[in-house]
Amino acid sequence: MTSTSQQFFSSLRERLGPEAVDTAPETLARYGANLLPGGDRLPSGVVYPGSTEEVQTVVRAANTHGVKLWPLSTGENRGLGYKSPVRPGQVVVDLGRRMNRIVEINESLAYAVVEPGVTYAQMYEELGRRGHKLMMDTTSGPPEGGILGNTLEKGAGYSPYFDHFGMSCGYEVVLPTGEVVRTSDGALPGSQTQYLSKYGYGPFLDGLFIQSNLGIVTRMGVWLMPRPPVVRSFFFSFPDDEDLGDIFELVRPIKLNNVVPTLLKVTGDLYAVGTEETYPFGRTGGRTPLSAELRKELREKHGLGAWIVSGAFYGATEEAVQPLIERVKAHFLKSGKARYISHAEAEKSRILKIHIDTFSGQPTRDELGLLRWRPGGGAAWFLPATPMVGRVANEHQALSRRILAEHGFDLILEYACGPRMSRALHLLIFNRQESEERQRAGRCMRALIQAYADAGYPVARAPIDVQDEVMARLQGVPEVLSRIKKALDPQGILAPGKYGIE
Ligand SMILES: Cc1cc2nc3c(=O)[nH]c(=O)nc-3n(C[C@H](O)[C@H](O)[C@H](O)COP(=O)(O)OP(=O)(O)OC[C@H]3O[C@@H](n4cnc5c(N)ncnc54)[C@H](O)[C@@H]3O)c2cc1C
């Protein structure tokens, strides 16, 4: 540890108390851990502020001693960075440990105010304690993941409130120089509408704090929806890989015309069965990836096809939603290839229940089963955009299958479909303990990013291993961000290198 970091840690021990600083080797190992091909990145220490004022103290001390910080809310960003800073030696500011209060729930205006450590599981429990009058949108990821951290990553769920940034309002931010700024209507002292009116007055600042290193967000409003009395999902299973094109053509009008209020998920076979199964190395004699025949066998074991389409309706009664279900049934069954699976039938399947849960605002642990598809604990997300055009979807499917197969990996893919664009959620699962496989996974991730970028399809989020490379492909924006960074963080203390911003 350098003498400047030592001075930094001693000054914080003095001002925040000894328990607010941890530099024990096991703590550094835990916070340096991630699941990515590039390896762990150990911080030089971890600090646990307990209030906005204490975050200001940490930031000011970092400026005084020239120490670099890495903020975390709950540190559950699995497959994108987990707890690990973008660069070794940065000091983790774990906000979630002590700043984890649900500050307010307003039931009539349907919003909550949260600190960084508030998890999906915690909010679900609190809403339940209050009689489930309100429903939150949740991810299908770890229930101990945080609402604020996920929002700052441009995370998303699947209900009508899927767009977590869109459904957040009014940030309290500690700037890299230590001042506090409140965005949206919160900028007016005494404002009564900070958590209600998103865009405020003048240029919209909130976006500056998303996927960035321009401030530490210490509080945020999140909009909730009144919980509908009845949530009824529907499922359609399609038998063949090439059906993806037809599925996209069927989904687009349903979303453009707002027939279904949720996103529509189009889940690939291995994304579905991989939550329950592990790679059958015994059957393949150790060969990878899984052959089309074995893949078919595995999905048929679970009564599923190559793609499963799902969505949900909300209503006052079962009778009110049934005609809507009949309408989508007629729409999808006209393809002649789809098999309908009802909500009641799906509830009996652990695999399909994951989707019912996410459409119902209920956190689930079951999708995390995907992380066990292969041994060795490696996982990385690749998240490009695909237009809602069947031809393009099938081209993308072929591109991804080819690149993954060339590197010996399986296509584990789910599309989260809106009216115009779908987020193609690729999960690359690999053995991180095997150095050759780990390096191959790194090459595969880069080959996917390159191929999609060359074809004109950017990603929305990227693992810390490649954040700078992805940013470097953009034109104009990196230069503007770098100028803003220099203005707001002249000493470059806040997470330099995050999302490629210096
Ligand atoms: C099987 C599986 C399914 C998943 N499903 C989904 C899904 O449906 N949707 C989805 O979005 N994700 C999903 N994920 C990804 C991920 O696990 C979640 O998005 C996770 O909730 C985000 O991590 P977090 O909330 O713990 O944020 P953190 O890890 O705390 O932080 C995330 C990022 O934001 C920054 N940050 C955090 N807090 C602050 C702050 N207060 N101020 C400034 N910067 C900050 C951090 O530096 C970090 O870069 C899934 C993962 C897995 C493994």
Side-chain angles (χ1 to χ4, degrees), residues 70-80 82-83 95 116 120 138-142 144-158 164 209 212 215-218 271 367-371 381 425 427 461 464 467 498-499:
W70 178 260
L72 273 189
S73 280
T74 61
E76 285 291 334
N77 211 9
R78 300 188 198 199
L80 289 156
Y82 212 6
K83 296 193 179 0
L95 299 144
Y120 286 103
T138 180
T139 72
S140 54
E144 33 319 304
I147 296 174
L148 193 147
N150 179 272
T151 299
L152 298 186
E153 268 282 273
K154 293 192 194 151
Y158 307 92
H164 293 171
F209 304 107
S212 87
I216 298 182
V217 180
T218 45
Y271 199 111
E367 197 164 291
L368 294 174
L370 283 173
L371 300 178
W381 289 101
L425 313 171
L427 185 56
R461 268 152 111 178
I464 51 172
Q467 285 183 349
K498 181 175 173 191
Y499 274 86

Side-chain angles (χ1 to χ4, degrees), residues 173-176 208-209 212-216 481 484-485 488 494:
V173 187
V174 175
L175 296 176
L208 286 179
F209 304 107
S212 87
N213 50 13
L214 301 172
I216 298 182
L481 288 171
I484 296 174
K485 175 73 175 164
L488 293 185
L494 191 57

